[in-house]
């Protein structure tokens, strides 16, 4: 089962059935417990009941405990643990959602409480398959037990989907669109003091919150940080190579903290996690919260994992370490805030583990229609309603504009593109769109080919629809097997070559821990590979022609995971540590700005020179009153060029990639010589996703284009075409 922290909110007299792992009994305290899962064999049936041993870790005693022969309700058998809050576990299985105290060591062994919730319904732009974490507004989901009113449960998905309901009262869920897409890990929590569900926005600069009245819009609160410690350059560099999580947590007396947790991916015991704690000041103004760095939270200790974060008074649970943070995730350790050191616990082996999935916003082609607007003062040449001679420049896909529906279901549409060389919008007029593609999502692009997937049956097609040099009346369409991976939330796509070539391999990276491979025209099904858990959820896939491997950089870019072209389901990736040299010397304020940004890593390889670069992309979040959501603006890129030395390959910081320009979006990253496409800016990075624009590596200046109204966030750069 999942590794979830459960805080026991109620005591029970039925506590004599819990055994120390050494098989001696003791009474349980009110200490928090870490639920490690099912220990020993799979569920076994006895007298009609499903029995299991539940393995726990007591952080106060620092020992393993086992609840022997716990009766698991039939509804929960073969279900997945979605999360936990107030000592109650959330379970998903058989198209049903349940809340249960099964994992509470103080609950009845033979008669666990189970509450059925309505089935989760999908949103137009959201996914309901993959859960990040859950939260509850009270300690009991039963209406009669709550003095403060109806309990509200909330489920947060990794993309931009939040759903809420009242157990025993609501017949369905109320779906909400989170006003930002979270590619970093931040956990939903409930504030008893403010009576709101709260979620840190990416970068940790804003707190987004919802009250218990589902019809109200979210509230945005800016977080202003002060007293950030002066750190040496080496420590900032180390933090920049880590995976960051932001956790908003409230103490029993109502004091609020923001915890920034920096950890190494993959988890390495000898690598210490780093934590920064900020306490909310009393002089907070309306619309803002002032957060001051602290190394003293007194008698409190904070518990962080993939469940709702919480805080307890250490002296109430003898054995807990005050002024500490107990970590479970990329680290299994207790972190001493005073000394800034951690002590690691051994991870016990368990026989059943439940994986948690993530969703991502996606669009169908019909949802990509928009009104074109002007980009610059050269607006008399911006929009072309007739064909023109297309260059070999890269293009950005902007969707289609349907003009006519033909008998048989095909449609005549204008294909809309952005030409970065000419800095203008262009139109491929009157292109035939096959009926199979009209209701399919474009989930990625590689080598100039778009990859499309149908939501209803998960069939996959590759097409040159967006190639301005391809046939207008008969675009090529290649059908691939239907996807069989559990997740249908796509991260990006990579291909080894044109799908016409016999040895072409198509790879689809899903949000979460799934990677699928297929050879067009040869394979009858996809090869589904489980990537290492909690390592590569949002990593960007790329294919190295030089190494003949697919690469996935880990968060922070400290490690590269790779799969060869004949990888099987059970294969483990090769892992390569990345050594960096020559980071730019930045002052404290610059590092503070970068630490408040969202950051993604992109590995890109030149097909012209075999040069390889690792690019770190930093974007700062801000509240847009026009869009009424968190938007992002690109602040900086860091580019590292791979160089061979006697000690092996290293990544050296550079501000000069010569004649090259790099293209980053949701598609596979690529680079081209600027001199091959007149008008492109050499030594630059063109980007789409956190603003549309280009970044001059020489000057360090970002340049933004005025994006057309309605341009989707999931647009894809296509490399130069050839006939």
């Amino acid at each position: 089962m999942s590794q979830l922290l459960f805080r026991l909110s109620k005591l029970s007299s039925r506590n004599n059935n819990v055994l120390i792992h050494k098989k001696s009994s003791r009474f349980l305290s009110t200490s928090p417990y870490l639920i490690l899962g099912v220990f020993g064999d799979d569920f076994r049936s006895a007298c009609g009941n499903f029995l299991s041993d539940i393995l726990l870790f007591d952080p106060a005693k620092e020992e393993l405990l086992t609840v022997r022969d716990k009766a698991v309700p039939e509804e929960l058998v073969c279900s997945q643990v979605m999360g936990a809050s107030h000592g109650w576990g959330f379970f998903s299985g058989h198209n049903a959602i349940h809340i249960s105290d099964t994992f509470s060591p103080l609950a009845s062994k033979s008669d666990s409480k189970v509450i059925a919730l309505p089935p989760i319904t999908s949103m137009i732009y959201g996914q309901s398959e993959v859960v990040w974490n859950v939260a509850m507004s009270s300690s009991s989901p039963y209406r009669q037990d709550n003095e403060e009113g109806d309990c509200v449960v909330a489920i947060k998905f990794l993309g931009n989907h939040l759903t809420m309901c009242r157990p025993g009262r609501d017949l369905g869920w109320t779906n909400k669109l989170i006003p930002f897409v979270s590619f970093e890990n931040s956990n939903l929590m409930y504030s008893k003091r403010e009576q709101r569900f709260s979620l840190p926005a990416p970068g940790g600069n804003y707190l987004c919150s919802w009250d218990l009245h589902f019809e109200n819009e979210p509230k945005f609160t800016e977080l202003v940080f002060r007293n950030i410690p002066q750190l040496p350059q080496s420590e900032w560099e180390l933090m920049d190579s880590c995976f960051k999580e932001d956790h908003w947590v409230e103490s029993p007396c109502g004091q609020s903290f923001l915890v920034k947790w920096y950890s190494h991916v993959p988890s390495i015991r000898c690598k210490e996690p780093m934590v920064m704690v900020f306490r909310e000041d009393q002089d907070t103004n309306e619309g803002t919260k002032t957060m001051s760095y602290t190394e003293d939270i007194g008698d409190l200790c904070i518990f962080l994992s993939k469940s709702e974060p919480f805080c307890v008074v250490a002296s109430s649970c003898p054995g807990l370490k005050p002024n500490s943070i107990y970590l479970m995730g990329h680290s299994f350790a207790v972190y001493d805030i005073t000394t800034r050191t951690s002590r690691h616990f051994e991870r016990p082996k368990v026989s059943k583990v439940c994986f948690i999935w993530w969703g991502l916003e996606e669009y169908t082609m019909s949802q990509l229609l928009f009104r074109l607007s002007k980009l610059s003062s050269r607006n008399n040449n911006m929009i072309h309603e007739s064909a023109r001679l297309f260059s070999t420049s890269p293009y950005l896909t902007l969707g289609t504009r349907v003009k006519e529906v033909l008998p048989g279901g095909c449609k005549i549409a204008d294909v809309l593109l952005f030409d970065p060389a000419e800095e203008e919008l262009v139109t491929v007029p009157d292109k035939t769109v096959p009926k199979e593609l009209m209701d399919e999502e474009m989930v990625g692009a590689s080598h100039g080919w778009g990859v499309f997937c149908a939501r209803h049956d998960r069939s996959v097609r590759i097409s040159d629809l967006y190639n301005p040099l391809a046939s207008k009346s008969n675009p090529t369409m290649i059908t691939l097997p239907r996807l069989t991976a559990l997740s249908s939330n796509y991260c990006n796509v990579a291909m080894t070559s044109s799908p016409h070539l016999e040895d072409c391999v198509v790879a689809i990276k899903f949000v979460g821990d799934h990677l699928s491979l297929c050879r067009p025209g040869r394979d009858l099904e996809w090869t589904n590979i489980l990537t290492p858990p909690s390592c590569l959820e949002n990593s960007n896939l790329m294919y190295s022609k030089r190494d003949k491997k697919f690469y996935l950089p880990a968060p922070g870019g400290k490690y590269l995971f790779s799969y060869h072209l004949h990888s099987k389901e059970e294969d483990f990736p090769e892992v390569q540590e990345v050594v960096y040299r020559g980071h730019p010397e930045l002052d404290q304020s610059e590092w503070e700005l970068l630490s408040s940004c969202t950051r993604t890593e992109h590995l890109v390889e030149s097909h012209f020179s075999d040069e390889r670069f690792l690019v770190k992309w930093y974007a700062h979040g801000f509240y847009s009153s026009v869009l009424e959501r968190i938007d992002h603006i690109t602040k900086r890129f860091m580019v590292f060029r791979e160089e061979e030395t006697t000690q092996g390959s290293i990544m050296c910081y550079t501000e000069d990639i010569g004649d090259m320009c790099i293209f980053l979006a949701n598609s596979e990253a690529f680079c081209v010589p600027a001199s091959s496409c007149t008008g492109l800016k050499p030594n630059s990075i063109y980007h789409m996703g956190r603003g549309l624009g280009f970044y001059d590596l020489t000057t360090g200046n970002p340049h933004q284009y005025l994006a057309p109204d309605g341009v989707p966030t999931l647009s894809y750069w296509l490399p130069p075409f050839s006939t």
Side-chain angles (χ1 to χ4, degrees):
M1 296 291 179
S2 288
Q3 296 163 337
L4 300 170
L5 285 166
F6 283 62
R7 182 181 179 183
L8 302 180
S9 58
K10 291 195 174 183
L11 299 179
S12 169
S13 60
R14 296 187 295 266
N15 55 12
N16 57 347
N17 297 316
V18 179
L19 304 179
I20 295 178
H21 207 234
K22 297 179 181 179
K23 298 184 180 181
S24 60
S25 61
R26 72 169 171 90
F27 288 97
L28 288 175
S29 67
T30 57
S31 169
Y33 287 90
L34 181 67
I35 304 299
L36 297 172
V38 178
F39 181 75
D41 297 332
D42 206 345
F43 294 116
R44 54 191 185 275
S45 179
C47 301
N49 294 323
F50 293 93
L51 301 180
S52 177
D53 294 341
I54 307 298
L55 182 65
L56 307 134
F57 174 74
D58 181 351
K61 300 294 184 181
E62 296 187 7
E63 63 185 14
L64 296 177
L65 306 171
T66 301
V67 182
R68 302 290 186 190
D69 299 330
K70 183 88 178 234
V72 178
E74 185 175 357
E75 305 98 304
L76 306 185
V77 175
C78 299
S79 63
Q80 292 182 344
V81 180
M82 302 167 65
S85 180
H86 292 280
W88 292 81
F90 285 63
F91 299 83
S92 173
H94 308 295
N95 298 319
I97 306 296
H98 294 90
I99 305 176
S100 176
D101 63 355
T102 296
F103 279 165
S104 170
L106 301 181
S108 170
K109 283 186 64 176
S110 59
D111 187 23
S112 297
K113 296 177 181 178
V114 179
I115 300 174
L117 300 180
I120 295 179
T121 54
S122 297
M123 301 182 68
I124 295 176
Y125 299 106
Q127 292 301 304
S128 61
E129 300 172 354
V130 180
V131 172
W132 177 247
N133 85 305
V134 301
M136 287 170 52
S137 65
S138 65
S139 59
S140 174
Y142 289 102
R143 297 179 63 185
Q144 63 270 22
D145 293 343
N146 291 320
E147 298 178 357
E148 61 268 31
D150 288 337
C151 173
V152 177
V153 300
I155 300 176
K156 187 251 179 187
F157 300 82
L158 184 63
N160 65 341
H161 183 187
L162 173 69
T163 189
M164 297 182 286
C165 85
R166 298 175 179 87
R169 177 176 169 183
D170 294 339
L171 300 179
W173 293 83
T174 297
N175 293 318
K176 295 286 187 179
L177 282 175
I178 298 174
F180 52 82
V181 177
S182 179
F183 294 103
E184 295 179 349
N185 292 352
S186 57
N187 283 24
L188 186 71
M189 62 82 66
Y190 179 73
S191 168
K192 186 176 181 180
R193 185 188 76 185
E194 299 185 355
Q195 296 185 0
R196 303 181 70 90
F197 288 103
S198 297
L199 179 69
N205 304 310
Y206 286 85
L207 191 68
C208 185
S209 63
W210 294 262
D211 62 24
L212 303 184
H213 304 287
F214 299 163
E215 66 274 8
N216 293 339
E217 294 300 315
K219 173 184 175 182
F220 292 91
T221 303
E222 184 178 7
L223 303 181
V224 180
F225 297 92
R226 66 183 188 185
N227 300 332
I228 298 176
Q230 294 286 325
L231 301 177
Q233 168 89 7
S234 59
E235 193 160 347
W236 283 115
E237 291 178 12
L238 183 60
M239 291 167 60
D240 191 57
S241 69
C242 288
F243 179 71
K244 187 184 77 168
E245 304 175 42
D246 294 311
H247 296 266
W248 187 259
V249 61
E250 188 174 275
S251 73
C253 65
Q255 194 170 43
S256 297
F257 302 91
L258 182 79
V259 182
K260 294 180 178 287
W261 175 11
Y262 299 84
S263 53
H264 298 269
V265 178
S267 302
I268 299 177
R269 187 185 173 97
C270 63
K271 300 285 188 179
E272 294 294 328
M274 291 169 286
V275 177
M276 283 190 176
V277 181
F278 296 86
R279 186 200 311 264
E280 181 184 1
D281 289 348
Q282 297 299 319
D283 60 349
T284 293
N285 298 320
E286 180 64 27
T288 65
K289 291 180 183 291
T290 302
M291 309 298 297
S292 293
Y293 175 79
T294 182
E295 295 179 357
D296 183 11
I297 61 173
D299 190 33
L300 298 175
C301 51
I302 295 172
F303 290 81
L304 302 181
S305 71
K306 286 186 178 178
S307 57
E308 184 178 11
F310 61 88
C311 182
V312 300
V313 178
S315 57
S316 67
C317 307
L320 290 182
K321 306 295 186 292
N323 201 40
S324 296
I325 300 177
Y326 287 83
L327 306 171
M328 182 64 225
H330 294 118
S331 300
F332 183 20
V334 56
Y335 181 89
D336 188 310
I337 299 175
T338 303
T339 62
R340 299 178 65 192
T341 59
S342 60
R343 184 163 54 84
H344 293 261
F345 303 120
E346 289 290 342
R347 293 177 183 261
K349 296 181 179 180
V350 294
S351 59
K352 285 187 71 67
V353 176
C354 161
F355 296 98
I356 297 178
W357 311 96
W358 288 262
L360 181 66
E361 179 179 8
E362 292 154 350
Y363 295 82
T364 62
M365 287 187 61
S366 60
Q367 294 160 352
L368 301 183
L369 306 180
F370 57 86
R371 177 178 60 83
L372 298 178
S373 65
K374 306 297 188 271
L375 288 176
S376 71
S377 59
R378 298 185 300 150
N379 54 22
N380 58 330
N381 296 319
M382 284 300 105
I383 303 172
H384 297 263
E385 298 298 338
S386 59
R388 75 167 199 184
L389 293 178
F390 287 91
S391 67
T392 56
S393 168
Y395 289 94
L396 182 72
T397 65
L398 297 177
T400 59
R401 182 174 54 201
V402 177
K403 300 168 69 175
E404 181 183 359
V405 179
L406 301 177
C410 293
K411 298 181 181 180
I412 301 298
D414 293 340
V415 170
L416 308 170
L417 304 166
F418 171 68
D419 181 349
E422 299 293 335
E423 297 186 1
E424 64 182 16
L425 297 171
V426 295
T427 301
V428 183
D430 302 330
K431 192 142 188 180
T432 299
V433 180
K435 63 179 181 180
E436 294 88 350
L437 297 184
M438 283 307 302
D439 295 323
E440 296 192 353
E441 306 160 27
M442 187 173 178
V443 299
S446 181
H447 290 271
W449 293 79
V451 180
F452 301 83
C453 184
R455 173 71 62 189
H456 64 284
D457 65 359
R458 308 193 69 192
S459 58
V460 180
R461 293 175 177 85
I462 304 174
S463 177
D464 61 358
L465 175 69
Y466 283 100
N467 185 341
L469 303 181
S471 171
K472 290 177 60 176
S473 59
N474 188 27
T476 301
M477 192 166 59
I478 300 172
T479 301
L480 300 181
R482 293 182 180 181
L483 289 169
T484 54
L486 294 178
S487 176
S488 62
N489 305 287
Y490 312 97
C491 190
N492 76 316
V493 174
M495 292 164 51
T496 61
S497 62
S498 168
H500 288 305
L501 299 180
E502 184 178 356
D503 58 352
C504 174
V505 178
V506 179
I508 298 179
K509 171 67 175 66
F510 297 86
V511 174
D513 53 5
H514 264 100
L515 174 68
S516 293
L517 307 179
C518 177
R519 293 171 176 79
R522 293 177 58 186
D523 292 343
L524 300 179
E525 61 183 12
W526 292 83
T527 298
N528 298 318
I529 300 171
L530 280 176
T531 61
S534 302
C535 286
L536 306 168
E537 289 93 340
N538 293 302
S539 296
N540 294 281
L541 185 68
M542 66 84 68
Y543 174 69
S544 168
K545 185 178 180 181
R546 186 186 73 186
D547 296 344
K548 293 182 171 53
K549 294 178 182 178
F550 289 105
Y551 278 96
L552 287 162
K558 185 63 177 176
Y559 293 89
L560 297 177
F561 291 72
S562 62
Y563 291 88
H564 60 76
L565 303 187
H566 302 283
S567 295
K568 302 301 181 184
E569 295 182 9
E570 65 279 4
D571 289 351
F572 291 96
E574 296 180 17
V575 183
Q576 171 188 344
E577 184 174 5
V578 179
V579 179
Y580 292 91
R581 293 287 185 271
H583 276 80
E585 292 289 336
L586 304 179
D587 60 30
Q588 175 81 6
S589 62
E590 289 177 295
W591 278 117
E592 289 179 11
L593 174 62
L594 294 185
S595 70
S596 69
C597 290
T598 63
R599 184 200 64 221
T600 56
E601 294 78 27
H602 304 261
L603 192 65
V604 59
E605 186 176 280
S606 170
H607 291 176
F608 301 88
S609 62
D610 284 341
E611 284 186 296
R612 182 179 292 167
F613 305 94
L614 191 140
V615 182
K616 295 189 176 186
W617 182 359
Y618 302 86
H620 195 265
F622 65 95
Y623 176 70
S624 170
S625 58
V626 175
L627 300 175
E628 296 184 336
R629 63 175 174 85
I630 301 296
D631 203 1
H632 287 85
I633 183 170
T634 294
K635 287 295 185 180
R636 186 183 180 115
F637 287 93
M638 283 193 190
V639 179
F640 299 85
R641 187 201 309 267
E642 186 180 55
E643 295 184 5
E644 292 296 332
T645 69
T646 54
Q647 289 79 32
S649 61
I650 60 174
M651 287 290 184
C652 296
Y653 175 78
T654 182
E655 296 176 357
D656 183 10
I657 59 174
D659 188 40
M660 288 292 177
C661 48
I662 295 172
F663 289 82
L664 301 181
N666 296 293
S667 50
E668 184 179 13
F670 62 88
C671 59
V672 299
S675 57
S676 66
C677 308
T678 303
L680 290 181
K681 309 291 190 298
N683 201 39
S684 295
I685 298 175
Y686 288 84
H687 59 87
M688 174 62 197
R690 296 166 181 84
L692 172 60
F694 72 92
Y695 181 89
D696 189 319
L697 289 172
T698 303
T699 63
N701 294 328
H703 301 266
Q704 299 293 323
Y705 297 122
L706 177 61
D709 292 344
V711 169
T713 56
L714 292 183
S715 296
Y716 304 95
W717 288 114
L718 303 177
F721 298 99
S722 60
T723 55

